Amino acid sequence: MISEQWARVSAELRSEIGENNHKSWIEPLECISLQAGVVEFRAPSRFVGDWVKRNYQDQIFQRLRSDNPAVSRIEFNVGTQPRSKPAAPAISRSAEGSTAPQRDTNLQGAPLDGKFNFDNFVVGKPNELAHAAARRVADGGDVTFNPLFLYGGVGLGKTHLMHAIAWELQEKRPDLQVLYLSAEQFMYRFVQALRDRQIMDFKNLFRSVDVLMVDDVQFIAGKDSTQEEFFHTFNALVDQNKQIVISADRAPGEIKELEDRISSRMQWGLVVDLHPTDYELRLGILQQKAALFAQTYGPVRIGDGVIEFLAHRITTNVRVLEGALQRLFAFSSLIGQEITMDMVQDCLSDVLRTSDRRVTVEEIQRKVAEHFNIRLSDMLGPKRTRTIARPRQIAMYLAKELTSRSLPEIGRRFGGRDHTTILHGVRKVEEMRSSDNQMAEDIDLLRRLLQS
Ligand code: ADP
Ligand code: MG
């Protein structure tokens, strides 16, 4: 029964992730059983198993579950052994092998990822301040700002920088007790200490570190007693002039349900944000990651324009960008061919679809009208003077370029114009932009505005 269900889900996945991906990753999976809500899969190798876990686990799970609500978990095992021990719950991203310092075991924080060091951190305009501040803390000299508060959107490098600080301090100042953990782990330990009546031990432990780093502190907002305890720990350490580094997904004042006194205390130090990446930074990161992946997968030839295309298209989250490149490396080394644009389209169709920022015709009309200083109603209305008609044609052209609307659909959105009118406008702009520099510039700018 589960095998029939899997056959259905597998077929659905084929259309979702593309023929190639399906052949390489999904087909090799064997669906063994459904027991107590757990669907067990067998992968032919650890490589395939890990890959599927990283890239397709969620999709597989969600589809199986919507097909059969009894499914509560999926598991991947390798080779021919029966079900193996379930992996320990990963509280945070873990390192290859345990490279974390083994001093006082109670003082052990989350494991540090060996790749998250300063050497592997690419610096650009959007993150240079955060990087400089992190470097300063990592020098381990006198505490000049306390805390260092790093904030920014998902996947912009907060955790990477914190690990880098920890690595560097371990090397430069092995005498210092450095504790890195997520706010979630802080809470977990706190709750455990309460339960076991060891709150004094907890307090002593946290007050004895020299450098405390707490990642994703927004997590404890609204969790009253944890917040409270965190605040006391924080104050005690600051009083002893011990360095604190904190990260969050937004500025201290913007974290809802974080007590005012805590959020204002956070702002005593240095608050720096990681801005969204720009194109240059993404290029740099891709080049650097390509060098790293080559160490794992062996050298792979990357076709012309591939790196630029990825940097252009995957703009929000470095983790996604990195995952996309890794997928290409793995695939390319598997089939022994260079990474081509065709492969990109095929392997990354899912990623590219979701990172397609949907620009609407209405948005285009609004931006273009703003840019040329005309009224939106004129853009849609019948006036044919050049100062109005030209922007209108540019908007038509951009609508054709940036959306998936058909000409008749675009026509309807331009005050019910005929599709031949739209076509004429699009052609006109295509013609003119090659000779008219100003127009080409306007279009480039608008395109960037709309796609950012
Ligand atoms: P955050 O904690 O802000 O959500 P992470 O630090 O986990 O983000 O970064 C996500 C991924 O992106 C990591 O693999 C990290 O190495 C990578 N990354 C982010 N910014 C950079 C950068 N400037 N240089 C190199 N890698 C980066
Ligand atoms: Mg993080």
Side-chain angles (χ1 to χ4, degrees):
M1 209 196 74
I2 182 66
S3 59
E4 282 165 29
Q5 195 192 339
W6 171 237
R8 269 197 302 279
V9 167
S10 166
E12 286 169 17
L13 282 169
R14 176 181 291 119
S15 57
E16 186 170 323
I17 66 177
E19 188 67 43
N20 261 343
N21 283 328
H22 189 267
K23 242 206 185 65
S24 317
W25 311 114
I26 305 297
E27 269 176 26
L29 298 177
E30 198 183 336
C31 187
I32 310 280
S33 62
L34 167 61
Q35 270 173 35
V38 182
V39 178
E40 193 189 347
F41 286 96
R42 195 176 291 155
S45 68
R46 175 177 292 281
F47 178 72
V48 172
D50 286 349
W51 186 261
V52 172
K53 243 196 212 150
R54 274 183 77 131
N55 292 281
Y56 300 116
Q57 172 153 287
D58 291 348
Q59 275 153 295
I60 295 175
F61 174 70
Q62 273 157 17
R63 286 186 180 273
L64 278 173
R65 195 184 167 84
S66 66
D67 204 72
N68 177 359
V71 172
S72 63
R73 196 151 55 87
I74 59 180
E75 239 176 49
F76 297 95
N77 297 312
V78 175
T80 51
Q81 297 102 342
R83 177 180 304 196
S84 59
K85 259 200 320 228
I91 299 177
S92 110
R93 185 180 302 104
S94 65
E96 260 89 279
S98 183
T99 32
Q102 303 273 336
R103 236 169 309 187
D104 180 345
T105 48
N106 284 323
L107 248 177
Q108 205 157 357
L112 299 175
D113 188 319
K115 296 188 295 304
F116 287 1
N117 54 37
F118 280 119
D119 287 343
N120 290 341
F121 191 83
V122 182
V123 185
K125 264 258 164 306
N127 61 23
E128 63 181 343
L129 210 61
H131 172 260
R135 279 274 190 199
R136 168 64 78 83
V137 170
D139 280 343
D142 290 344
V143 175
T144 45
F145 36 76
N146 215 2
L148 168 60
F149 191 103
L150 296 169
Y151 76 93
V154 175
L156 295 183
K158 301 181 293 294
T159 298
H160 189 138
L161 277 179
M162 290 179 107
H163 286 207
I165 294 172
W167 285 122
E168 185 101 349
L169 280 173
Q170 270 170 37
E171 203 165 286
K172 283 196 177 146
R173 296 289 309 271
D175 56 310
L176 295 182
Q177 295 274 19
V178 179
L179 182 60
Y180 164 87
L181 79 179
S182 66
E184 192 176 358
Q185 287 167 306
F186 180 87
M187 180 176 95
Y188 178 75
R189 285 191 174 197
F190 174 61
V191 171
Q192 206 169 33
L194 282 178
R195 192 191 59 204
D196 300 345
R197 299 176 198 285
Q198 295 192 324
I199 203 69
M200 279 324 287
D201 292 347
F202 176 90
K203 283 180 190 291
N204 290 335
L205 180 74
F206 275 89
R207 283 158 179 63
S208 71
V209 302
D210 298 302
V211 179
L212 176 66
M213 301 204 266
V214 181
D215 207 350
D216 288 318
V217 82
Q218 75 276 356
F219 181 84
I220 60 166
K223 317 238 161 53
D224 290 339
S225 50
T226 304
Q227 266 194 75
E228 180 77 21
E229 184 57 36
F230 176 70
F231 187 60
H232 293 318
T233 305
F234 182 98
N235 285 334
L237 288 173
V238 171
D239 286 348
Q240 298 174 58
N241 210 20
K242 300 294 168 70
Q243 179 74 54
I244 297 176
V245 184
I246 286 169
S247 86
D249 63 354
R250 64 201 73 181
E254 287 166 15
I255 305 177
K256 280 201 210 89
E257 295 188 72
L258 186 67
E259 272 184 60
D260 284 348
R261 57 180 180 147
I262 302 183
S263 100
S264 67
R265 195 73 172 75
M266 299 281 149
Q267 298 174 49
W268 283 16
L270 180 66
V271 178
V272 280
D273 60 338
L274 288 135
H275 296 278
T277 56
D278 57 18
Y279 178 73
E280 282 76 30
L281 179 56
R282 289 194 295 276
L283 271 187
I285 290 175
L286 281 167
Q287 272 147 7
Q288 190 252 4
K289 301 284 173 188
L292 281 183
F293 291 147
Q295 293 170 12
T296 313
Y297 297 101
V300 161
R301 251 195 63 74
I302 305 179
D304 282 346
V306 167
I307 295 284
E308 291 77 6
F309 176 81
L310 295 177
H312 180 67
R313 284 295 298 274
I314 305 175
T315 55
T316 47
N317 181 332
V318 179
R319 195 173 298 135
V320 175
L321 189 65
E322 187 179 344
L325 186 67
Q326 183 173 28
R327 211 193 273 186
L328 294 171
F329 261 82
F331 192 73
S332 150
S333 76
L334 204 65
I335 63 172
Q337 280 171 20
E338 76 165 43
I339 299 174
T340 60
M341 283 303 289
D342 280 348
M343 191 191 288
V344 171
Q345 295 291 354
D346 199 37
C347 277
L348 301 179
S349 57
D350 52 337
V351 179
L352 294 174
R353 226 182 4 250
T354 52
S355 70
D356 241 350
R357 209 177 76 64
R358 294 230 176 278
V359 184
T360 63
V361 176
E362 288 72 20
E363 221 173 318
I364 293 172
Q365 292 167 334
R366 214 171 40 241
K367 277 275 187 300
V368 174
E370 247 168 53
H371 180 77
F372 289 102
N373 231 333
I374 65 171
R375 274 201 291 270
L376 190 57
S377 56
D378 282 340
M379 162 90 58
L380 307 181
K383 282 191 195 156
R384 298 176 70 166
T385 52
R386 177 174 294 199
T387 48
I388 306 240
R390 200 62 86 220
R392 185 189 290 137
Q393 287 174 332
I394 289 177
M396 290 172 180
Y397 168 84
L398 287 169
K400 182 77 198 104
E401 282 266 289
L402 303 180
T403 75
S404 52
R405 299 278 175 206
S406 65
L407 292 175
E409 284 175 318
I410 295 174
R412 272 199 291 285
R413 286 172 172 74
F414 275 84
R417 285 177 159 79
D418 192 70
H419 71 96
T420 53
T421 311
I422 307 298
L423 186 60
H424 173 75
V426 172
R427 292 241 167 98
K428 184 86 197 159
V429 172
E430 274 168 359
E431 226 173 83
M432 287 185 64
R433 63 176 299 198
S434 50
S435 53
D436 184 339
N437 275 341
Q438 181 61 47
M439 185 183 221
E441 256 174 48
D442 284 337
I443 289 176
D444 269 359
L445 177 70
L446 282 162
R447 191 202 300 272
R448 266 205 306 270
L449 276 175
L450 286 159
Q451 285 182 323
S452 65

